[in-house]
Amino acid sequence: MNSKKMGMRMKRIFVNAEACTGCGLCQLLCSVHKTGQWHPALARIKIKEMPELELNVPVLCLHCSNPPCEVYCVMNLIYKDPNTGYTLRREDKCIGCRACEIACPFSAAVMDPIREVVVNCDLCEGDPLCVSGCPEGALLYMEDSEAGERKRKAAVSLGAWRASRPRDGRGSL
Amino acid sequence: MKDYSGKIMEIDLSHGSIRIKDIEAQLVRQYIGGIGFNARILYDEIPIGADPFGEENVLVFAAGTLVGTPFPTASRSEASAKSPLTGGFGTSNSGAFFGLQLKTAGYDVLVIKGKSPQPVYISINDEDVKILSADSLWGKECWECVDYLEKKHYGSEIALIGPAGENLVRFASIENGRYDGWGRTGLGAVMGSKNLKAITVKGTKGRKAHDPQALLNAVKKGQQLIKSASSYHAFTEYGTLNASIPYSNFKAISAHNFTKGTLPNWKEIGGRPIVDRYGSRHVACQSCIIACGHWVELSEGKYAGIKMKDLEITPVMSFGATVGLNTEAIIKACELCQRYGVDMVSAGGVLGFAIELYKQGIISEDDVGFELDFGDDEAAFKLFHMIINREGIGDILAEGSKRAAEQFEQGDKYAIQVKGMEIPMIDPRGRWSTWTLGMLTNIRGGDHLRCRNPVENLRFNERDEEYRKERFGFKQTMYEKLDMPEELKRKTIDLENDITYIPEMSKWAEDLINLYNSVGICIRPPVMEKVGPTIIAEACQAFTGIEFTPAELMESAERTWNLIKLFNLREGEKAEASKFPRRFYEEELNGQVLDEGKIQKVLEIYYQLRGWDPKTGRPERATLKRLQLEQPGE
């Protein structure tokens, strides 16, 4: 099946930055799972502290439909998995030029300083540790449609829907 | 020792030399890490009677053993030196991310000796350690320096001092990035005396656990324990401010320099509602699942434009109660403290002291230059700046309230301090508990953070005439789940009569907190309630591969406590110094004064429990032998 069609049903990690406290547990769990060592610098998820917005935002690979890293990889190592639609790479062949890191609008591809190759979040074969380890529920692993559904639900419960309707309540859109 | 980062970095600023040493296995066995290492190093390195501002004082930073792992709240590092405020062991603990970077740079301990001839800062990038000129930073406030250093040393964590530390204000703090700090005991002034403006640390080395799976299991268990604590949910929402209203109801807050016990409308000024009103999102330190901090933004009013991490009970009490400021002024005061690098508790204490001197007519407008009153924020901040810059009367106040009190007639009555350090928050006349006895037995002076009852019950405030006990007040399950050796638990808590014995609990709580400060976890109530030596031993063992039993850990914490006591005694601490300020014994609050004789009796029980001489508070020879602390030649 075409990967782009799959995209609608694939599970991804969604970020609820409002809930993130910046405790950094996701980074430590990611680094130890992927490298056997504890260090935020080795993690494929990075928390950006934004004091001016009073926010901590976890940044990680979003598995775009048209990933610029795929285009920019001179070694042609980055590909979309035909079954899952994830953006994956053959890390063993990576020359570490970091073109993909620069091409990514989020810089979500990161250098692994131990092996000196660039890596991105591969969603841990369907069981991302950062998600299960987040104490605040700031990371959600779900299908796009479910994430959309949640967001719509949250918006409706906030009264956004009611506000968009005319005052008499009959609704004559 | 598979993953003890296992290195001590020693920097001698006098000679500009840098030395990296291995940590001996014996030191880890006996002292675990954090404050334990600091105690041993200071005891061995600082000569008796050393000038806190002199070349021979040593400043030590040590990250706790578990820092860098996901163990809940494992973020904390301890800074220690001989204190310019108390003259004894000065030490302070801070969270955030400094400890993690220090550990991943490959060091457990950072020792700073000597005195640089000109202003410098230290930059650490793994093995690459440089001493750089800080001429352009000297005199600047902290946040400006952090901005500059963050750009220059991208990704580093920064420990630094502000103008207060440079001017040797005796209660200056070392700031940990923008919003955290090693506040108490005047360590910032020690750093200032060494002409050291800042330390930037960046580490890139990962840390391996001896048994990663076992560590993850311990982490999970630890998280579950903390989440099951009775105070967990309240803490995730309101942080430390939960205790504010109960203490005000007991009439036990430090209102107007400990004269009132409570203030009208305190709930709106300093209770939980201020979190709803001013706070926004929660902020956590490394690996914390509680996230008690809040972002605060003042968008209107006199102090509009402040944006910071704030709303902790200590500064709220210090500026809201002791000085009597309103909430917005409290937030401004916190900002000032962090920008200029001052300990919030002592700053509030000294301001409250000065205002009361003024109100009593001991100092006048001619001395100060303007009028002072409780609740007058503009005057308080003017005086604050005079203290930081040591101008006029500020020069006297910058010496701390005990030293300043000697300059004024009857001054000692209004200086609310123990062993030179200003008492925070709570008034023992309003509530007598393990916490308040801890202010006397604390190895760093009048302070509330080294002795807290893990099962303190804030619903009750029953006064025991003998000062010996407080009400336990919880159900049996709480008793059963408390991680404490059974025999000791029976001696400490009498479930049948619903009693906690204060001296017994003090000893346990002090050792437990010392253990926390050794392994680098936090003393927030949900942690204290549930995380005991058993789970810590499990995590330490999984991480380091060294076999620790819970009993060994508690013994090592006790060893550290005794060693610090020996340090203080060596510096000339007298048993009489373990005494509250005169006011608490003489002036009534809620119709109560403290009974000095009875408190002395409780102290004697405490000393005996510790194996110290009941009169002098000196550790007995047998105790030192048991703890392997005998002095050579004795």
Side-chain angles (χ1 to χ4, degrees):
Chain A
M1 195 192 281
N2 184 318
S3 64
K4 282 183 184 167
K5 279 186 190 155
M6 274 303 298
M8 284 310 286
R9 277 199 282 124
M10 78 181 197
K11 274 187 153 183
R12 294 199 274 188
I13 295 174
F14 289 88
V15 171
N16 178 12
E18 299 271 328
C20 178
T21 63
C23 72
L25 273 171
C26 52
Q27 299 182 139
L28 288 180
L29 291 168
C30 179
S31 75
V32 77
H33 182 59
K34 291 297 181 193
T35 68
Q37 300 188 17
W38 314 91
H39 196 299
L42 304 177
R44 299 171 184 205
I45 178 169
K46 307 275 182 207
I47 297 179
K48 287 324 299 168
E49 193 189 26
M50 310 289 289
E52 59 275 30
L53 299 175
E54 302 177 2
L55 269 182
N56 291 292
V57 188
V59 178
L60 74 172
C61 179
L62 296 173
H63 300 280
C64 330
S65 307
N66 297 304
C69 56
E70 185 184 8
V71 180
Y72 275 79
C73 181
V74 285
M75 301 296 284
N76 253 332
L77 303 174
I78 301 175
Y79 60 97
K80 293 297 269 186
D81 186 294
N83 294 320
T84 59
Y86 296 160
T87 310
L88 303 176
R89 55 182 69 218
R90 291 193 290 277
E91 287 166 14
D92 53 331
K93 296 266 173 16
C94 176
I95 57 171
C97 71
R98 310 179 87 154
C100 55
E101 187 179 345
I102 295 159
C104 174
F106 303 94
S107 244
V110 292
M111 190 75 171
D112 174 346
I114 300 175
R115 292 185 296 150
E116 301 201 326
V117 298
V118 183
V119 293
N120 67 323
C121 167
D122 59 4
L123 295 139
C124 295
E125 283 143 20
D127 182 18
L129 280 182
C130 54
V131 175
S132 53
C134 176
E136 309 293 336
L139 298 171
L140 307 162
Y141 180 59
M142 53 180 57
E143 282 182 16
D144 300 20
S145 50
E146 191 188 345
E149 201 56 36
R150 279 193 181 217
K151 197 125 210 200
R152 283 188 279 276
K153 222 172 179 175
V156 170
S157 67
L158 279 174
W161 178 245
R162 205 173 34 203
S164 72
R165 296 179 66 185
R167 286 259 166 88
D168 65 358
R170 280 189 201 163
S172 52
L173 281 175
Chain B
M1 282 185 291
K2 200 163 175 197
D3 191 69
Y4 227 78
S5 290
K7 296 264 190 271
I8 297 179
M9 176 156 49
E10 213 179 270
I11 299 176
D12 188 332
L13 291 172
S14 297
H15 307 101
S17 62
I18 295 157
R19 206 152 62 106
I20 294 170
K21 294 193 291 193
D22 283 326
I23 291 179
E24 291 160 28
Q26 179 76 355
L27 188 69
V28 181
R29 263 255 155 246
Q30 291 198 323
Y31 294 97
I32 313 171
I35 192 175
F37 288 176
N38 289 8
R40 190 71 249 178
I41 291 168
L42 291 198
Y43 192 86
D44 292 342
E45 303 267 351
I46 298 182
I48 301 169
D51 174 8
F53 293 146
E55 225 170 308
E56 58 286 16
N57 199 357
V58 180
L59 178 63
V60 190
F61 291 84
T65 312
L66 290 174
V67 173
T69 76
F71 194 82
T73 74
S75 66
R76 313 212 44 112
S77 50
E78 184 92 19
S80 310
K82 185 176 172 182
S83 164
L85 192 62
T86 67
F89 192 86
T91 192
S92 191
N93 197 283
S94 179
F97 304 89
F98 184 86
L100 174 83
Q101 291 295 346
L102 185 64
K103 279 237 152 177
T104 52
Y107 311 101
D108 272 79
V109 190
L110 173 60
V111 182
I112 296 158
K113 293 179 169 176
K115 191 174 196 168
S116 162
Q118 59 271 339
V120 290
Y121 75 94
I122 297 169
S123 135
I124 302 170
N125 247 318
D126 293 342
E127 280 81 27
D128 178 20
V129 183
K130 291 191 194 105
I131 302 173
L132 302 167
S133 164
D135 282 337
S136 62
L137 296 175
W138 203 254
K140 287 205 175 122
E141 48 108 330
C142 293
W143 290 5
E144 223 175 296
C145 295
V146 171
D147 285 341
Y148 173 83
L149 290 169
E150 262 180 356
K151 273 194 200 114
K152 197 162 170 196
H153 302 277
Y154 184 77
S156 294
E157 282 299 321
I158 301 159
L160 76 168
I161 56 166
E166 295 168 13
N167 296 335
L168 308 185
V169 172
R170 279 184 194 264
F171 47 89
S173 65
I174 302 174
E175 292 298 313
N176 181 358
R178 278 192 189 78
Y179 311 118
D180 299 85
W182 295 271
R184 304 231 70 189
T185 67
L187 299 174
V190 174
M191 203 157 143
S193 75
K194 297 193 175 306
N195 269 327
L196 177 60
K197 178 74 180 174
I199 303 164
T200 71
V201 190
K202 186 179 175 186
T204 57
K205 291 184 202 145
R207 311 202 60 199
K208 280 194 185 125
H210 173 74
D211 184 345
Q213 196 50 48
L215 180 57
L216 281 178
N217 292 345
V219 167
K220 204 161 267 176
K221 242 189 255 175
Q223 290 184 342
Q224 279 161 358
L225 281 171
I226 292 174
K227 282 184 182 165
S228 70
S230 63
S231 50
Y232 176 72
H233 287 288
F235 254 79
T236 53
E237 208 48 51
Y238 294 104
T240 45
L241 276 174
N242 282 305
S244 177
I245 302 288
Y247 275 104
S248 161
N249 291 343
F250 300 148
K251 297 206 173 61
I253 64 173
S254 57
H256 293 189
N257 202 32
F258 296 81
T259 52
K260 292 200 157 142
T262 185
L263 288 172
N265 214 12
W266 176 252
K267 195 175 168 193
E268 302 303 317
I269 299 168
R272 300 206 309 198
I274 66 172
V275 174
D276 299 328
R277 188 150 163 228
Y278 297 99
S280 62
R281 293 187 184 82
H282 300 265
V283 204
C285 296
Q286 175 66 45
S287 298
C288 179
I289 60 168
I290 303 170
C292 66
H294 301 91
W295 285 116
V296 174
E297 185 175 2
L298 288 186
S299 47
E300 50 187 28
K302 200 150 88 181
Y303 302 113
I306 297 177
K307 225 178 222 187
M308 63 187 295
K309 185 179 139 187
D310 199 3
L311 296 183
E312 291 262 0
I313 192 169
T314 316
V316 165
M317 288 285 197
S318 185
F319 294 107
T322 314
V323 190
L325 304 183
N326 64 28
T327 315
E328 285 173 15
I330 295 170
I331 294 168
K332 177 68 186 175
C334 293
E335 189 213 42
L336 288 174
C337 284
Q338 281 168 340
R339 278 181 185 268
Y340 293 93
V342 195
D343 173 21
M344 296 181 181
V345 180
S346 290
V350 168
L351 288 176
F353 164 71
I355 295 171
E356 191 166 13
L357 286 183
Y358 187 92
K359 301 279 276 180
Q360 298 288 347
I362 296 168
I363 54 174
S364 65
E365 205 177 329
D366 296 335
D367 299 317
V368 187
F370 44 91
E371 279 182 42
L372 289 175
D373 197 358
F374 289 112
D376 181 351
D377 46 339
E378 274 172 29
F381 295 158
K382 246 196 237 171
L383 188 58
F384 179 89
H385 284 286
M386 285 168 72
I387 295 172
I388 302 306
N389 300 321
R390 281 183 171 271
E391 289 160 2
I393 197 168
D395 192 29
I396 301 172
L397 295 172
E399 295 289 300
S401 57
K402 187 187 177 192
R403 284 182 177 79
E406 290 161 10
Q407 311 283 329
F408 306 108
E409 201 187 328
Q410 291 272 323
D412 64 321
K413 192 172 170 188
Y414 308 111
I416 310 300
Q417 49 75 31
V418 174
K419 295 171 192 162
M421 191 146 89
E422 289 74 16
I423 294 179
M425 293 164 52
I426 44 174
D427 193 319
R429 287 169 297 176
R431 178 177 167 87
W432 180 259
S433 62
T434 309
W435 212 9
T436 39
L437 178 70
M439 290 179 178
L440 295 180
T441 57
N442 197 319
I443 38 88
R444 61 175 184 175
D447 174 67
H448 60 309
L449 292 172
R450 302 284 152 142
C451 175
R452 271 205 40 249
N453 182 351
V455 285
E456 180 170 22
N457 197 323
L458 282 179
R459 282 180 298 150
F460 306 107
N461 187 28
E462 289 157 17
R463 186 175 213 93
D464 169 37
E465 282 311 312
E466 298 305 315
Y467 296 80
R468 174 89 170 80
K469 50 199 186 207
E470 63 180 273
R471 180 147 167 194
F472 176 62
F474 289 106
K475 290 189 182 131
Q476 193 169 353
T477 46
M478 184 74 125
Y479 174 83
E480 279 160 5
K481 286 195 173 150
L482 187 62
D483 185 10
M484 196 170 174
E486 277 310 315
E487 199 191 335
L488 186 64
K489 209 196 282 190
R490 270 197 300 279
K491 277 188 199 155
T492 309
I493 301 171
D494 180 349
L495 196 57
E496 218 163 283
N497 298 313
D498 209 12
I499 288 168
T500 305
Y501 291 107
I502 288 175
E504 281 83 352
M505 187 51 99
S506 290
K507 177 178 182 290
W508 171 258
E510 284 167 354
D511 289 348
L512 186 63
I513 289 180
N514 236 9
L515 176 59
Y516 284 7
N517 290 340
S518 301
V519 298
I521 62 178
C522 186
I523 61 163
R524 292 284 175 266
V527 185
M528 284 212 72
E529 192 183 311
K530 293 285 176 177
V531 175
T534 314
I535 179 75
I536 294 176
E538 200 181 318
C540 282
Q541 200 168 320
F543 188 44
T544 62
I546 307 169
E547 269 182 51
F548 287 115
T549 64
E552 272 173 349
L553 288 181
M554 289 309 287
E555 192 189 67
S556 104
E558 190 184 351
R559 180 177 297 122
T560 303
W561 190 267
N562 276 270
L563 186 62
I564 296 174
K565 183 74 182 178
L566 288 178
F567 181 98
N568 287 340
L569 290 167
R570 196 171 74 171
E571 294 296 336
E573 183 187 291
K574 298 273 184 297
E576 305 90 83
S578 296
K579 204 171 93 175
F580 284 114
R582 203 141 62 85
R583 162 164 280 167
F584 293 176
Y585 302 112
E586 291 171 359
E587 254 175 54
E588 280 194 357
L589 180 83
N590 320 331
Q592 292 274 7
V593 289
L594 295 181
D595 187 317
E596 202 174 340
K598 285 178 180 169
I599 291 178
Q600 187 56 35
K601 283 224 174 73
V602 178
L603 269 178
E604 281 169 20
I605 299 172
Y606 164 86
Y607 290 153
Q608 276 166 342
L609 289 167
R610 279 229 170 265
W612 296 355
D613 184 280
K615 290 289 170 219
T616 60
R618 177 174 287 277
E620 308 266 15
R621 193 162 288 187
T623 312
L624 296 181
K625 195 168 175 203
R626 174 170 63 83
L627 298 169
Q628 297 143 12
L629 276 175
E630 292 148 302
Q631 312 293 310
E634 264 185 44

